[in-house]
Amino acid sequence: MRLVFLGPSGSGKSTQAASLAARWRIPSLSTGDLLRDAMAKGRLETIAAHSDLGKQAQAQMEAGELVPDQLMVGLMRESFGAPATQHGWILDGFPRNLAQSQALDTLLQIMGQPYGQVVYFDVPENKLVDRMLKRGRQNDSEDLIRQRLQVYNEQTVPLIDFYRRRQCLVEIDGSLSPQEITDAISSVIKPLAIV
Ligand code: ADP
């Protein structure tokens, strides 16, 4: 079971990634968590193999920008090296632009592990902003939320068509309740996973 979860901040993909990963006993690789963990351990510079890129990353995260691709790809390469990922994974937050999706193809080719499907969480924009404001996470000002959405619209939205053309995109109505979304994903993904 190798899945990519695609969707904007506030679409609920992280919640679903965590609960489905637990159910299927595979790791959920959440880029936000991986980045915050690497930052707390002072490892960003090493992973990026470039000290300036590592230093920029924290400011970029705080500003709602994407961190450099080189850092992200290094982080993913490292994560895929963990034995726990041998039997499957859910990618939550990667790829987030076309360059990253190409880097993912290359990484997976090297590992001989193709991804199965890309699950796209579709949620209307006004609902997203509403949810995020209610979530009230520290530093989640409306400006920052709108900035993240703009970055998503510019850089990540092109991936929807990219994967749709590859015929591996599964679209989920992300405005449903968490339980309904879990059920919707399980019913689409499960039969394929058994094959
Ligand atoms: P959210 O889902 O609210 O956007 P995340 O925890 O997924 O939050 O990500 C937090 C921040 O980490 C992003 O705003 C971005 O700066 C950085 N980030 C996460 N994934 C990537 C990625 N694939 N490429 C570049 N930056 C990323």
Side-chain angles (χ1 to χ4, degrees):
M1 177 100 63
R2 292 185 281 263
L3 301 173
V4 173
F5 280 12
L6 186 64
S9 183
S11 62
K13 68 179 172 7
S14 298
T15 309
Q16 295 297 330
S19 73
L20 287 167
R23 179 190 295 189
W24 293 328
R25 295 173 211 275
I26 53 177
S28 149
L29 305 177
S30 156
T31 55
D33 290 346
L34 290 169
L35 278 170
R36 283 182 286 268
D37 180 63
M39 197 188 304
K41 293 179 178 147
R43 296 183 55 247
L44 289 181
E45 279 88 352
T46 318
I47 297 166
H50 190 306
S51 64
D52 288 347
L53 292 186
K55 288 199 188 89
Q56 281 166 28
Q58 182 161 2
Q60 284 163 325
M61 284 180 75
E62 282 164 7
E65 303 283 343
L66 296 186
V67 305
D69 290 339
Q70 187 178 329
L71 169 61
M72 270 327 296
V73 175
L75 196 58
M76 296 320 294
R77 186 182 298 120
E78 185 182 276
S79 304
F80 283 130
T85 62
Q86 291 312 302
H87 307 291
W89 34 257
I90 296 176
L91 292 191
D92 165 26
F94 184 90
R96 253 174 155 102
N97 61 26
L98 281 169
Q100 292 182 5
S101 67
Q102 274 144 11
L104 177 63
D105 283 349
T106 308
L107 275 177
L108 297 182
Q109 212 172 355
I110 293 168
M111 298 189 308
Q113 285 195 12
Y115 55 81
Q117 278 162 306
V118 176
V119 180
Y120 164 51
F121 292 71
D122 190 14
V123 186
E125 194 157 313
N126 53 357
K127 185 142 192 168
L128 288 175
V129 176
D130 240 37
R131 275 188 188 169
M132 282 189 284
L133 285 173
K134 283 206 193 96
R135 184 163 78 178
R137 206 160 68 178
Q138 217 188 348
N139 301 329
D140 264 4
S141 68
E142 185 157 357
D143 280 353
L144 188 57
I145 289 168
R146 297 227 176 256
Q147 167 64 18
R148 284 212 212 97
L149 264 175
Q150 192 183 333
V151 170
Y152 171 78
N153 285 327
E154 286 170 6
Q155 305 203 42
T156 312
V157 163
L159 295 182
I160 300 167
D161 255 356
F162 177 85
Y163 287 118
R164 191 180 277 137
R165 277 200 291 271
R166 286 196 178 174
Q167 303 190 328
C168 59
L169 193 79
V170 175
E171 299 190 41
I172 297 289
D173 179 357
S175 58
L176 300 173
S177 72
Q179 186 57 51
E180 287 170 319
I181 299 176
T182 307
D183 293 345
I185 298 174
S186 320
S187 69
V188 185
I189 300 299
K190 229 187 198 157
L192 294 165
I194 295 165
V195 174

